[in-house]
Amino acid sequence: MKIVLGITGSTGVIYGIRMLEILKKLNIETHLIMSEWGEKCISMETEYTSDYVKSLATHTSDEKNMAASVSSGTHRIDGMIVAPCSMKTLSAIANGYDDTLVSRAASVTIKESRKLVLMVRETPLSAIHLENMLKLSRIGVVILPPVTEFYTKPKSIDDIVNHGVGKCLDQFGIEHNLYPRWGTF
Ligand SMILES: Cc1cc2nc3c(=O)[nH]c(=O)nc-3n(C[C@H](O)[C@H](O)[C@H](O)COP(=O)(O)O)c2cc1C
């Protein structure tokens, strides 16, 4: 399996970082694209460096590199995750405005009928945000905001992040035990 992972400039970049850590552990090939503001958010809200995050991925491409392999549908991938996905990148994807490699790779994922999961993050959500999400949901894109659940009684931020990452991996049928499933506790 090969997954493209976009990390964009929204709060919650830890979701993208944890996703890479887990996918690496599971020996799943990843292709990482971080937006400029995704990288800035990593330095603003985590202890991690961009180099550490890049070291977790199998391949990394610059968001300005439209000649990267994942810019073309001929390059075979199984799907793409954007975690977290800013409202700007959501808008670009919803409107086919492929100005960065994140939105281009997402656009390619859609046109090739592959799985695209967006961990969209903003609050509150405006009608523009909701319309962009609805537009994409109607064509099969999975809108998966990192919304906390409390029925598993999370004890730490790690528990909360793992739950969001686990829900995302469920979309690809990837086995994990990142959160306890209802009916098992
Ligand atoms: C610390 C920080 C947190 C942000 N959080 C959000 C957010 O939760 N959602 C969002 O849509 N934009 C957020 N932004 C604004 C985006 O970074 C900005 O719109 C940027 O242009 C997104 O570009 P990108 O999608 O190419 O990364 C945040 C910016 C900063 C500096």
Side-chain angles (χ1 to χ4, degrees):
M1 182 170 268
K2 178 168 180 178
I3 291 182
V4 179
L5 179 75
I7 297 181
T8 63
S10 130
T11 190
V13 285
I14 188 64
Y15 284 97
I17 299 169
R18 182 66 44 78
M19 192 86 64
L20 281 172
E21 288 173 337
I22 302 291
L23 291 172
K24 187 175 184 188
K25 258 189 213 148
L26 294 171
N27 284 319
I28 291 176
E29 193 178 342
T30 51
H31 195 125
L32 171 68
I33 313 157
M34 286 188 280
S35 73
E36 179 189 348
W37 279 98
E39 287 202 62
K40 284 187 178 155
C41 284
I42 288 170
S43 69
M44 284 177 194
E45 61 182 34
T46 78
E47 301 302 314
Y48 300 109
T49 62
S50 288
D51 284 345
Y52 167 73
V53 178
K54 286 177 192 166
S55 77
L56 297 169
T58 322
H59 314 276
T60 304
S61 288
D62 190 279
E63 71 159 341
K64 293 184 189 75
N65 181 10
M66 294 301 175
S69 58
V70 292
S71 187
S72 167
T74 58
H75 185 74
R76 295 178 82 149
I77 58 146
D78 295 284
M80 177 167 177
I81 299 165
V82 186
C85 181
S86 76
M87 295 302 104
K88 178 241 183 186
T89 292
L90 167 74
S91 171
I93 298 169
N95 292 287
Y97 189 67
D98 304 348
D99 65 331
T100 69
L101 187 59
V102 177
S103 46
R104 169 65 188 163
S107 193
V108 166
T109 305
I110 293 170
K111 84 181 174 71
E112 299 294 336
S113 304
R114 295 168 183 154
K115 172 83 81 180
L116 176 62
V117 180
L118 304 181
M119 291 190 93
V120 290
R121 200 278 156 198
E122 186 51 280
T123 193
L125 294 161
S126 72
I128 294 171
H129 301 148
L130 292 165
E131 277 178 3
N132 284 335
M133 288 183 212
L134 182 59
K135 191 172 172 186
L136 289 172
S137 177
R138 285 199 166 120
I139 59 164
V141 174
V142 179
I143 304 297
L144 198 151
V147 178
T148 309
E149 46 62 55
F150 293 98
Y151 55 82
T152 56
K153 301 192 175 72
K155 290 181 184 53
S156 62
I157 292 176
D158 262 3
D159 285 352
I160 292 168
V161 172
N162 285 344
H163 185 270
V165 170
K167 292 284 286 182
C168 194
L169 298 186
D170 286 346
Q171 289 295 320
F172 291 87
I174 297 171
E175 288 297 324
H176 65 82
N177 53 10
L178 290 168
Y179 66 84
R181 293 181 190 278
W182 187 248
T184 64
F185 60 94

